[in-house]
């Protein structure tokens, strides 16, 4: 796949200690902030539904227009805020980054 025809998919699987609904609301607010970062096409944080998850109970999925957008996201305040918030609940994480066919953010498409 040519460089101009690739986007980047960033998926993080989490094993987390239990938290309250109000804490999930805080996470959703941070996810919304992340969705507003330039180059982020979509951003989701959801609970796993499968019994085959090997203990990973949540996932974060972000689509970036390009690999360089991941580099902007990593030091971004919203990303560091999410990492700091989840640190107290984190048991284990698994991170995957891979290329997918090119995706674009349409101006009228909400991320959440």
């Amino acid at each position: 796949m040519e460089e101009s025809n690739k986007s980047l998919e960033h998926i993080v699987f989490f094993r987390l200690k239990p938290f309250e609904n109000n804490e999930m609301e805080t996470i959703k607010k941070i996810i919304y902030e992340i969705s507003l970062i330039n180059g982020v096409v979509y951003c989701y944080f959801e609970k796993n539904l499968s019994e085959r998850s090997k203990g990973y109970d949540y996932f974060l999925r972000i689509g970036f227009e390009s690999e360089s957008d991941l580099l902007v996201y990593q030091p971004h305040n919203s990303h560091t805020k999410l990492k700091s918030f989840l640190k107290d609940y984190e048991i284990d994480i698994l991170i995957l980054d891979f290329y997918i066919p090119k995706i674009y953010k349409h101006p009228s498409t909400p991320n959440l």
Side-chain angles (χ1 to χ4, degrees):
M1 198 179 306
E2 292 180 26
E3 187 71 26
S4 62
N5 293 331
K6 294 188 281 187
S7 289
L8 193 78
E9 183 91 352
H10 176 70
I11 300 180
V12 183
F13 297 97
F14 297 91
R15 286 186 191 150
L16 298 175
K17 298 173 190 169
F19 50 80
E20 302 297 321
N21 283 342
N22 63 331
E23 291 157 323
M24 186 61 164
E25 289 305 311
T26 300
I27 293 168
K28 293 288 186 176
K29 288 176 185 173
I30 298 170
I31 294 302
Y32 177 73
E33 291 174 14
I34 290 172
S35 75
L36 300 176
I37 298 172
N38 240 4
V40 172
V41 179
Y42 51 81
C43 182
Y44 305 98
F45 182 89
E46 298 295 338
K47 186 165 179 50
N48 173 54
L49 301 175
S50 173
E51 294 178 11
R52 302 172 294 167
S53 67
K54 297 189 178 186
Y56 291 95
D57 45 3
Y58 288 89
F59 74 94
L60 172 68
R61 180 179 178 206
I62 305 176
F64 294 100
E65 290 184 26
S66 69
E67 186 174 358
S68 61
D69 295 319
L70 173 66
L71 301 176
V72 170
Y73 159 78
Q74 288 174 327
H76 195 280
N77 182 51
S78 297
H79 176 232
T80 56
K81 188 189 303 186
L82 181 65
K83 284 173 43 177
S84 295
F85 185 83
L86 291 176
K87 186 176 183 174
D88 292 336
Y89 302 97
E90 186 180 303
I91 297 170
D92 192 20
I93 63 170
L94 175 65
I95 301 171
L96 301 172
D97 295 314
F98 50 91
Y99 291 112
I100 59 174
K102 189 71 174 171
I103 54 175
Y104 300 93
K105 184 174 186 175
H106 189 278
S108 65
T109 305
N111 286 325
L112 300 175

